[in-house]
């Protein structure tokens, strides 16, 4: 029923009110209502254990540098601020950090519009700070993953300035320039749509041609059919690899190549972006996304990183069906080591739904393929806000995320239960928010659309001191307003409380590290019969150990058949639980309780 509401309302709203399109795939929004909630068959299908890989035990923490810690007092986070908090991250138990981009940039899209790939944007620090950050991370056995927007540059990049200057400039072909359509070239070259909506072409009067951009009009796409472009970008990768970085998160990699003939995309009935297909905003996107050349490109990137030891990591931000995503791993696992799997960010909080997603992922990406599990990021509504700030539910989600086979990615602040904030579109720092200032507030509220990404990017809440301990300057206006929740939700307070979500994350990460089955074991869903609507259960199986994970997603107490005799408790989301009594052959879980146990 809700499906219908979304579809009809959005089809009407989009078609009638927003002739230029409405939302970006990467938009934070509630899309859960569009997902099926069918229960899967919780069979006994097992996947074999992973091959040993130096990357199998990665636990990645995503830092949005503007928002993590300000060391200079200007209200913007920076690299030295991050260095100050590395001990906190080590204590938390993560072993890799993905940094949203801090390369030189006019910050039109807060770093996703690079104007120099070889330097650090001054608001974040200098190359000396970068070197120190990397050294300090490596001293703590943490891997450094840089975020590389390869698909496009900033309009301020010297390559683009040259390219735009005249039709016969040597760099003209580094970007995708075309004549407009008749009459008089005043219409864009084809019907391609940018992801945040509207035509994907921008007109430049000086040369009377249009340039292609997949995202925002100040982020022109590079032309990877030109070998010079490829070489220039491969040099960028090598520069950072030679400095010692451990891997890259590859921004919208699925958009690298476009159809050479620029054929029009077909019409699609898809309205909103989803995590299962690239079709959206009534466009199929078959000619501008996920081209075969792009899958090959993933393998070329792998060849570059494979020249380095120890193993370097490539993590693709790509969208499409699971079959399309699978292609980025390469036919022989010789492409990217992993891609983001975003379904949890929008799926309803239901065990049956999660079991169905997990079954599908395990089938498409059996070992040694590595899935990733993401609950939130800098483009999406924070997970805990989707759960109406219910900490018990958030602990269940964390237990699931940190015990699955694959790489978990924790978004900064998720570990303390930081919620999304509400921001006005008119003062949005996010350019997408500013694009939609004219959308009536009531409509956003009614449709639960978040048209600015500011809400999930607020400064980290370190303490209940002014600026939440984010900046040393207690009077500074931080780049985004700090969430009003900071007096209650902050690191200092939660550190002291054994039952806090922060301590739940720490215990989980320690258990993951100490138990080989949780790092390298295979995955098998556990049959639950009648309780499958309330609970999710699975095992992680390794030759040395089998670990069981039982999660109660309901507010009721539940009694489940115990799968083994004499289970030993490894963890419970409830910090008060002391042991597991299964003497009558059953396990009793409290409301929203998750437990991890093994055979004695
Ligand atoms: C990716 C990033 C997003 C950025 C966009 C354009 O989706 O996650 O933040 O705006 O690409 O680079």
């Amino acid at each position: 029923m809700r499906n219908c509401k979304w579809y009809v309302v959005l089809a009407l709203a989009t078609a009638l009110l927003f002739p230029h399109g409405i939302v970006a795939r990467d938009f934070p929004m509630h899309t859960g209502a569009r997902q099926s909630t069918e229960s899967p068959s919780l069979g006994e299908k097992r996947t074999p254990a992973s091959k040993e890989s130096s990357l199998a035990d990665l636990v990645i923490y995503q830092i949005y540098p503007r928002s993590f810690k300000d060391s200079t007092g200007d209200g913007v986070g920076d690299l030295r601020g991050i260095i100050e908090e590395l001990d906190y991250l080590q204590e938390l138990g993560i072993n890799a950090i993905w940094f949203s981009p801090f390369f030189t940039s006019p910050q039109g899209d807060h770093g996703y519009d690079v104007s120099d790939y070889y330097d650090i944007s001054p608001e974040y620090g200098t190359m000396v700070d970068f070197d120190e950050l990397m050294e300090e991370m490596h001293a703590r056995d943490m891997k450094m993953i840089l975020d590389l927007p390869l698909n496009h540059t900033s309009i301020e990049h010297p390559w683009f300035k040259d390219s735009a200057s005249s039709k016969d400039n040597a760099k003209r072909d580094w970007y995708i320039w075309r004549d407009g359509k008749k009459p008089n070239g005043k219409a864009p070259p084809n019907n391609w749509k940018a992801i945040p909506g509207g035509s994907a072409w921008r007109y430049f009067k000086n040369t009377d041609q249009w340039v292609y951009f997949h995202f925002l009009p100040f982020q022109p796409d590079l032309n990877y059919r030109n070998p010079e472009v490829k070489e220039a970008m491969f040099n960028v990768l090598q520069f950072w690899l030679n400095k010692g970085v451990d891997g890259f998160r590859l921004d919208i990699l699925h958009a690298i190549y476009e159809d050479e003939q620029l054929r029009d995309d077909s019409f699609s009935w898809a309205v909103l972006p989803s995590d299962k297909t690239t079709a959206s905003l009534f466009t199929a996107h078959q000619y501008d996304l996920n081209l075969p050349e792009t899958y090959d490109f993933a393998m070329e990137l792998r060849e570059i990183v494979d020249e380095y030891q120890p193993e370097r990591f490539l993590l693709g931000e790509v969208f499409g069906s699971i079959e399309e995503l699978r292609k980025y791993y390469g036919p022989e696992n010789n492409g990217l080591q992993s891609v983001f799997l975003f379904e949890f960010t929008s799926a309803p909080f239901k065990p049956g739904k999660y079991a169905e997603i997990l079954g599908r992922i395990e089938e498409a990406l059996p070992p040694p393929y590595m899935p990733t599990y993401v609950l939130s990021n800098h483009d999406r509504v924070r997970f805990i806000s989707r759960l109406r700030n219910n900490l018990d539910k958030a602990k269940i989600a964390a237990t699931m995320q940190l015990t699955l086979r694959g790489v978990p990615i924790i978004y900064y602040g998720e570990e303390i239960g930081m919620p999304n904030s509400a921001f006005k579109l008119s003062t949005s720092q996010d350019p997408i928010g500013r694009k939609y200032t004219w959308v009536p507030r009531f409509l956003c509220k009614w449709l639960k659309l978040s048209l600015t990404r500011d809400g999930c990017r607020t400064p980290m809440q370190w303490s209940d001191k002014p600026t939440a301990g984010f900046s040393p300057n207690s009077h500074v206006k931080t780049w985004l307003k700090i969430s009003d929740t900071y007096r209650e939700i902050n690191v200092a307070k939660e550190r002291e409380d054994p039952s806090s979500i922060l301590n739940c994350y720490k215990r989980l990460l320690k258990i993951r590290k100490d138990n080989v089955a949780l790092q390298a074991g295979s995955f098998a869903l556990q049959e639950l019969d009648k309780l499958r609507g309330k609970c999710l259960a699975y095992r992680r199986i390794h030759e040395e150990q089998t670990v069981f994970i039982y999660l109660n997603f309901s507010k009721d107490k539940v009694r489940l058949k115990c799968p083994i005799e004499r289970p030993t408790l490894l963890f419970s989301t409830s910090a008060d639980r002391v042991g597991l009594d299964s003497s009558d052959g059953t396990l009793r879980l409290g409301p929203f309780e998750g437990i991890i146990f093994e055979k004695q």
Side-chain angles (χ1 to χ4, degrees):
M1 199 49 216
R2 286 187 71 196
N3 257 347
C4 277
K5 178 185 127 190
W6 271 93
Y7 197 84
V8 171
V9 168
L10 280 158
L12 281 176
T14 312
L16 299 176
L17 293 173
F18 315 137
H20 304 298
I22 177 164
V23 284
R25 163 172 313 288
D26 309 317
F27 255 52
M29 64 183 143
H30 294 271
T31 52
R34 291 175 299 112
Q35 310 268 356
S36 135
T37 51
E38 269 170 26
S39 284
S41 88
L42 298 180
E44 278 296 288
K45 204 166 168 197
R46 275 191 194 196
T47 48
S50 301
K51 268 202 304 212
E52 286 291 309
S53 160
S54 64
L55 300 170
D57 66 343
L58 281 190
V59 178
I60 301 177
Y61 187 88
Q62 181 192 354
I63 288 186
Y64 198 66
R66 283 186 98 70
S67 299
F68 196 60
K69 187 86 191 266
D70 168 22
S71 74
T72 59
D74 65 354
V76 175
D78 49 54
L79 301 190
R80 299 211 76 80
I82 299 170
I83 297 173
E84 284 171 20
E85 297 301 344
L86 287 179
D87 287 342
Y88 163 73
L89 294 174
Q90 192 173 32
E91 179 191 315
L92 177 63
I94 57 96
N95 55 20
I97 305 176
W98 147 35
F99 298 92
S100 283
F102 44 58
F103 309 111
T104 312
S105 156
Q107 304 293 325
D109 189 14
H110 298 124
Y112 287 94
D113 48 332
V114 178
S115 55
D116 181 358
Y117 289 89
Y118 291 99
D119 211 346
I120 309 295
S121 227
E123 54 270 75
Y124 300 133
T126 62
M127 197 58 100
V128 173
D129 299 328
F130 169 86
D131 289 338
E132 191 177 325
L133 173 61
M134 190 170 61
E135 200 179 302
E136 291 289 335
M137 285 180 64
H138 286 165
R140 291 169 176 81
D141 271 335
M142 288 180 186
K143 292 193 189 293
M144 178 179 240
I145 299 171
L146 299 192
D147 196 328
L148 203 52
L150 291 175
N151 177 65
H152 49 264
T153 66
S154 159
I155 212 150
E156 299 291 324
H157 197 292
W159 297 341
F160 185 77
K161 286 186 175 167
D162 283 352
S163 180
S165 64
S166 79
K167 275 187 177 170
D168 48 19
N169 184 280
K171 294 229 164 33
R172 184 66 172 178
D173 187 45
W174 279 43
Y175 294 83
I176 302 159
W177 294 97
R178 290 291 186 283
D179 288 335
K181 274 193 187 155
K182 289 178 181 150
N184 309 322
K186 292 294 173 256
N190 68 13
N191 74 351
W192 293 355
K193 294 269 180 295
I195 287 303
S199 170
W201 295 91
R202 176 171 172 180
Y203 179 67
F204 279 71
K205 206 170 167 197
N206 63 327
T207 54
D208 189 26
Q209 278 200 318
W210 300 70
V211 78
Y212 173 66
F213 64 93
H214 172 71
F215 206 74
L216 287 162
F218 53 81
Q219 293 165 314
D221 275 42
L222 284 160
N223 175 18
Y224 278 87
R225 296 189 189 278
N226 181 334
E228 287 172 13
V229 169
K230 254 194 191 177
E231 198 191 325
M233 276 311 197
F234 289 171
N235 289 342
V236 169
L237 258 90
Q238 278 158 341
F239 171 81
W240 292 102
L241 288 166
N242 290 338
K243 276 185 92 58
V245 308
D246 304 286
F248 300 101
R249 178 259 187 194
L250 302 161
D251 190 60
I252 51 171
L253 191 79
H254 65 317
I256 288 282
Y257 281 92
E258 303 75 27
D259 180 45
E260 221 172 347
Q261 301 165 47
L262 301 191
R263 280 171 283 187
D264 275 349
D265 279 330
S266 317
F267 175 82
S268 159
W269 280 107
V271 183
L272 283 178
S274 99
D275 290 314
K276 286 190 183 158
T277 162
T278 45
S280 71
L281 301 176
F282 304 111
T283 303
H285 283 291
Q286 81 270 35
Y287 288 125
D288 53 346
L289 295 174
N290 288 335
L291 264 65
E293 293 90 322
T294 310
Y295 304 132
D296 294 344
F297 185 72
M299 289 187 282
E300 289 181 66
L301 292 173
R302 179 65 179 270
E303 273 175 31
I304 292 177
V305 297
D306 276 355
E307 281 164 21
Y308 293 79
Q309 279 301 327
E311 190 177 352
R312 307 297 163 102
F313 186 50
L314 292 177
L315 172 60
E317 189 204 25
V318 291
F319 298 90
S321 65
I322 189 83
E323 293 73 29
E324 285 168 312
L325 301 188
R326 162 71 182 76
K327 291 184 186 160
Y328 285 98
Y329 288 78
E332 286 158 27
N333 209 8
N334 54 342
L336 311 182
Q337 281 99 335
S338 200
V339 304
F340 287 96
L341 302 173
F342 287 118
E343 282 195 58
F344 284 166
T345 65
S346 56
F349 187 75
K350 292 197 169 148
K353 182 66 202 169
Y354 289 154
E356 182 257 322
I357 295 173
L358 291 170
R360 206 155 20 83
I361 290 176
E362 282 288 332
E363 194 172 333
L365 299 172
Y369 296 99
M370 269 196 292
T372 58
Y373 291 102
V374 184
L375 302 179
S376 322
N377 73 16
H378 63 293
D379 294 330
R380 297 180 179 235
V381 171
R382 284 183 176 272
F383 197 78
I384 195 155
S385 298
R386 296 185 55 235
L387 302 177
R388 295 172 191 251
N389 301 325
N390 183 321
L391 281 168
D392 294 329
K393 288 185 181 177
K395 287 178 189 170
I396 289 287
T399 310
M400 178 178 73
Q401 187 194 23
L402 299 177
T403 55
L404 290 172
R405 185 185 71 78
V407 178
I409 304 171
I410 302 168
Y411 184 45
Y412 83 93
E414 203 159 65
E415 76 278 18
I416 56 168
M418 245 174 84
N420 242 66
S421 287
F423 283 99
K424 278 193 196 147
L425 293 179
S426 56
T427 50
S428 172
Q429 295 279 340
D430 176 17
I432 294 179
R434 290 197 302 275
K435 188 175 159 84
Y436 289 110
T437 40
W438 47 274
V439 178
R441 255 183 120 171
F442 81 89
L443 200 65
C444 294
K445 245 182 153 176
W446 186 43
L447 297 176
K448 292 195 187 136
L449 279 178
S450 178
L451 291 175
T452 168
R453 297 171 293 181
D454 287 355
C456 60
R457 298 173 175 179
T458 57
M460 177 73 176
Q461 298 166 200
W462 294 102
S463 70
D464 62 1
K465 304 254 157 40
T467 78
F470 167 71
S471 172
N473 175 355
S474 49
H475 303 296
V476 77
K477 188 167 179 250
T478 52
W479 83 280
L480 275 179
K481 187 177 173 292
I482 289 164
S483 159
D484 295 333
T485 60
Y486 78 92
R487 284 188 195 84
E488 288 308 310
I489 301 174
N490 64 62
V491 172
K493 186 167 179 203
E494 293 187 27
R495 246 188 189 140
E496 304 308 318
D497 173 6
S499 68
S500 69
I501 186 160
L502 175 60
N503 279 316
C504 177
Y505 267 86
K506 278 190 201 167
R507 288 188 294 128
L508 278 166
L509 287 167
K510 169 121 182 39
I511 278 156
R512 186 181 166 98
K513 192 170 171 201
D514 293 346
N515 289 277
V516 64
L518 290 178
Q519 285 186 23
S522 65
F523 170 90
L525 281 165
Q526 191 87 12
E527 184 63 68
L528 287 181
D529 300 322
K530 280 185 230 139
L531 281 171
R532 69 167 63 157
K534 292 190 170 180
C535 299
L536 177 69
Y538 48 91
R539 280 170 295 163
R540 298 290 310 280
I541 307 147
H542 189 270
E543 56 197 19
E544 291 165 29
Q545 183 194 31
T546 296
V547 166
F548 298 80
I549 297 98
Y550 275 52
L551 307 170
N552 178 9
F553 280 67
S554 78
K555 58 180 182 343
D556 306 320
K557 289 182 185 162
V558 292
R559 229 166 104 170
L560 299 138
K561 189 167 170 273
C562 186
I564 48 171
E565 278 172 27
R566 292 194 302 281
T568 305
L569 184 71
L570 295 172
F571 166 88
S572 164
T573 48
S574 155
D576 305 332
R577 183 187 271 278
V578 278
L580 262 189
D581 172 16
S582 68
S583 46
D584 63 355
T586 64
L587 294 169
R588 290 172 196 77
L589 298 192
F592 298 116
E593 187 184 15
I595 56 171
I596 307 176
F597 56 95
E598 66 171 334
K599 246 187 192 157
Q600 219 167 47

